[in-house]
């Protein structure tokens, strides 16, 4: 089944996806099957001057191949190592795909985006044998205290899929979906250095399903930015990352109908963070369920006074109707940083926050605390009732582990972050991204 229609094929999706599907009846993913694209036309970059020698710049060949296949077909990047010395902007295109069989390695040093795809429809980038990767050699910049180009950015792309590839060691962000709609990202691994500014996936737009992705870096794992609606993120493994978040949010924030389901986070800054500093507009109708964490600094975390962001005009972003459900595991030091930390704007208190089945315990020490400030709703230190007025901060302290906090760990967890001074090897895409969960979509290549 190639076209997934939210309204008419709900049974095809997980329960969590059904939570989102209301008035939205847009098909997600490419509209044309990959087989039909292969049958239409194949533009192999080696026929346009690319050489798999790791030295010849493949940039112009990729652009020429795209121009020939932009109205239907497959830009084929065959097995081998192709250097990218000059960046490519692929603009337009319909019913086309990039088959990344080989490996693209960055050799150029310009800023910007190594691969930028814009104003495109019915698009797919994948590796039909599941071994394709983009290697950014970010360490060459990071070890000098600098950032370089971003790896892959889509802008204004509709009906797309990105899957079965690895994005490695970006000198800046790995994958950005800017104003993209009706897309799917899955069966992927992103592995960057242990440094801020190396975001895994940042996205905004509507009708996007991100699932079965592992991210290692030290910044955003899978993050939703404004404006966005109808976003489902599930079966995500933040393996020594920054963790997932929403933000930074500023003026005119407009996010609604977002579900995160089955999120496993280890050794990250947080399990989930909403971050804003001033601003206005709203985040509403969000569900964050089935989270497991270990060794994270923060866990459940709303920070409306996040001073790493410049103070934006406004009384504060309104956080309304946000449900946190079934969070288990452990945090690094719950006496130092509350695992349940809800700090709302005093001039715009949070409303209808629900926290249920939250059981997390500290790894060091024998106490932890919860903190709520100007947050209304139900559960733990939240204030109940309909006043929704400012009330300041309340905390509560736990001196014994909450029942049911124990949660499984993933195999092969990192015991240290990846440095910034040596190259990061290209990993294989894992076969599971959450304890006990099987990826929703089979690998494209099983052989
Ligand atoms: C947010 O604040 C800006 C600047 O003050 C204002 O122009 C805008 O209308 C406000 N938006 C909302 C949703 O209140
Ligand atoms: C809570 O999440 C765990 C996975 O972390 C899952 O096994 C369990 O079924 C969930 N419980 C409920 C009530 O959904
Ligand atoms: C987590 O990341 C580390 C370092 O990249 C890797 O060795 C380990 O295999 C990863 N875990 C899994 C389950 O992929």
């Amino acid at each position: 089944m190639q076209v997934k229609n939210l309204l008419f094929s709900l049974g095809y999706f997980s329960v969590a996806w059904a939570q989102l599907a209301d008035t939205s009846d847009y098909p997600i993913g490419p509209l044309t099957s990959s087989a039909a694209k292969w049958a239409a036309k194949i533009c192999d970059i080696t026929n346009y001057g690319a050489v798999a020698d790791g030295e010849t710049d493949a940039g112009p060949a990729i652009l020429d191949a795209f121009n020939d296949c932009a109205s239907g077909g497959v830009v084929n990047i065959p097995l081998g190592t192709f250097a990218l010395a000059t960046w490519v902007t692929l603009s337009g295109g319909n019913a086309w795909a990039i088959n990344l069989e080989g490996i693209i390695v960055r050799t150029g040093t310009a800023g910007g985006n190594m691969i930028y795809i814009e104003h495109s429809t019915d698009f797919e980038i994948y590796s039909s044998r599941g071994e394709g990767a983009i290697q950014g050699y970010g360490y060459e910049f990071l070890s000098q205290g600098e950032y370089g180009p971003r790896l892959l950015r889509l802008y204004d792309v509709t009906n797309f899929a990105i899957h079965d590839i690895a994005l490695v060691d970006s000198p800046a962000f790995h994958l950005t979906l800017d104003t993209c709609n009706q897309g799917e990202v899955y069966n992927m691994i992103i592995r960057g250095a242990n440094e801020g500014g190396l975001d895994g996936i940042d996205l905004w737009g509507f009708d996007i399903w991100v699932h079965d992705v592992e991210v290692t870096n030290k910044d955003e794992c899978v993050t939703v930015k404004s404006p966005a609606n109808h976003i489902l993120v599930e079966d995500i493994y933040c393996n020594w990352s920054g963790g997932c978040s929403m933000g930074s949010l500023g003026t005119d924030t407009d996010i609604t109908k977002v579900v995160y389901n089955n999120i496993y986070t280890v050794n990250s800054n947080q399990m989930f963070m909403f971050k804003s500093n001033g601003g206005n507009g709203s985040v509403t109708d969000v569900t964050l369920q089935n989270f497991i964490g270990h060794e994270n600094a923060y866990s459940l975390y709303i920070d409306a006074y996040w001073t790493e962001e410049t103070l934006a005009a406004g009384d504060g972003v309104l956080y309304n109707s946000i449900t946190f459900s079934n969070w288990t595991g452990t945090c690094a030091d719950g006496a130092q940083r509350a695992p349940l930390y809800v700090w709302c704007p005093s001039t715009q208190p949070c409303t209808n926050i629900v926290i249920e089945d939250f059981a997390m315990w500290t790894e060091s020490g024998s106490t932890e605390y919860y903190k709520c400030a100007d947050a209304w709703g139900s559960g733990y230190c939240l204030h109940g009732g309909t006043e929704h007025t400012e009330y300041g901060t309340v905390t509560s302290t736990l001196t014994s582990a909450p029942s049911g906090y124990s949660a499984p760990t993933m195999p092969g967890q990192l015991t240290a972050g990846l440095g910034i001074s040596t190259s990061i090897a290209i990993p294989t895409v894992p076969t599971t991204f959450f304890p006990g969960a099987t990826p929703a979509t089979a690998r494209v290549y099983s052989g």
Side-chain angles (χ1 to χ4, degrees):
M1 181 193 249
Q2 186 67 24
V3 174
K4 304 177 180 95
N5 186 295
L6 303 195
L7 193 62
F8 299 111
S9 46
L10 287 181
Y12 185 76
F13 290 96
S14 67
V15 173
W17 190 248
Q19 286 175 246
L20 289 176
D22 52 1
T23 57
S24 179
D25 67 335
Y26 300 95
I28 67 160
L31 300 167
T32 306
S33 71
S34 5
K37 289 173 183 172
W38 282 102
K41 192 169 184 179
I42 301 171
C43 302
D44 190 299
I45 62 166
T46 60
N47 294 331
Y48 298 83
V51 183
D53 60 1
E55 288 176 9
T56 308
D57 180 17
I62 293 172
L63 186 56
D64 289 347
F66 166 74
N67 285 332
D68 265 8
C69 265
S71 53
V74 176
V75 173
N76 192 42
I77 301 175
L79 282 173
T81 301
F82 295 91
L84 200 65
T86 55
W87 309 158
V88 286
T89 295
L90 309 178
S91 189
N94 177 49
W96 70 290
I98 296 175
N99 176 43
L100 179 60
E101 228 42 88
I103 293 166
I104 292 175
V105 298
R106 180 195 59 76
T107 58
T109 56
N113 299 282
M114 287 172 58
I115 299 178
Y116 186 72
I117 294 163
E118 62 176 5
H119 311 308
S120 207
T121 52
D122 192 356
F123 166 70
E124 181 170 13
I125 178 168
Y126 74 117
S127 173
S128 64
R129 290 170 58 90
E131 292 168 16
I134 305 176
Q135 166 62 274
Y137 290 133
Y139 77 99
E140 293 177 356
F141 290 91
L142 302 167
S143 61
Q144 305 302 309
E146 293 168 10
Y147 291 99
R150 299 164 181 180
L151 237 55
L152 177 61
R153 187 178 182 99
L154 273 59
Y155 168 62
D156 183 29
V157 177
T158 299
N159 288 111
F160 65 93
I162 303 171
H163 62 103
D164 292 273
I165 59 173
L167 302 180
V168 184
D169 199 6
S170 178
F173 299 170
H174 287 81
L175 173 62
T176 307
L177 306 177
D178 171 353
T179 320
C180 292
N181 307 324
Q182 297 163 255
E184 195 178 350
V185 178
Y186 60 98
N187 293 348
M188 275 187 64
I189 184 162
I190 294 175
R191 188 162 286 177
N194 191 43
E195 180 93 333
L198 307 177
D199 297 16
I201 302 179
D202 293 311
L203 67 103
W204 57 106
F206 70 86
D207 279 337
I208 298 175
W209 185 24
V210 179
H211 60 99
D212 302 296
V213 174
E214 177 179 332
V215 176
T216 294
N217 57 355
K218 202 58 193 176
D219 213 316
E220 309 297 343
C221 184
V222 179
T223 284
V224 172
K225 294 174 176 287
S226 178
N229 66 77
H230 294 87
I231 309 291
L232 172 60
V233 180
E234 64 182 342
D235 294 302
I236 304 296
Y237 180 15
C238 306
N239 177 14
W240 203 292
S241 168
C244 291
S245 66
M246 207 172 274
S248 315
L249 305 172
T251 43
D252 291 318
T253 293
D254 182 11
I255 297 180
T256 187
K257 299 215 181 290
V258 177
V259 172
Y260 276 69
N261 181 49
N262 288 0
I263 309 297
Y264 184 90
T265 310
V266 61
N267 223 305
S268 297
N269 303 336
Q270 76 272 338
M271 288 169 68
F272 198 93
M273 179 182 187
F274 291 87
K275 47 188 175 183
S276 56
N277 189 15
N280 61 6
S282 66
V283 174
T284 182
D285 203 353
V286 172
T287 301
L288 305 159
Q289 65 192 17
N290 307 328
F291 276 55
I292 294 176
H294 297 289
E295 303 166 41
N296 303 295
Y298 292 94
S299 298
L300 185 167
Y301 190 22
I302 295 181
D303 189 349
Y305 293 91
W306 194 57
T307 49
E308 285 186 43
E309 180 186 352
T310 310
L311 181 66
D315 285 343
V317 172
L318 173 63
Y319 295 102
N320 176 52
S321 294
I322 297 175
T323 298
F324 301 87
S325 176
N326 192 20
W327 287 46
T328 55
T330 51
C331 62
D333 185 345
Q336 190 187 6
R337 298 190 179 91
L340 190 164
Y341 189 118
V342 183
W343 191 9
C344 298
S346 61
T347 46
Q348 184 69 271
C350 298
T351 51
N352 306 312
I353 307 295
V354 175
I355 304 176
E356 57 192 16
D357 300 323
F358 181 92
M360 302 211 54
W361 185 236
T362 184
E363 283 152 30
S364 63
S366 55
T367 66
E368 67 181 22
Y369 75 108
Y370 298 156
K371 168 177 168 166
C372 293
D374 304 317
W376 294 83
S378 67
Y380 305 86
C381 54
L382 296 165
H383 270 200
T386 54
E387 269 177 86
H388 302 166
T389 50
E390 174 183 358
Y391 64 77
T393 300
V394 298
T395 60
S396 56
T397 300
L398 279 76
T399 53
S400 62
S403 70
Y405 80 90
S406 172
T409 54
M410 288 286 279
Q413 284 184 183
L414 272 173
T415 52
L418 303 176
I420 59 170
S421 56
T422 51
S423 182
I424 297 173
I426 293 173
T428 52
V429 178
T431 51
T432 181
F433 302 85
F434 188 81
T438 306
T441 309
R443 297 302 306 279
V444 70
Y445 179 75
S446 54

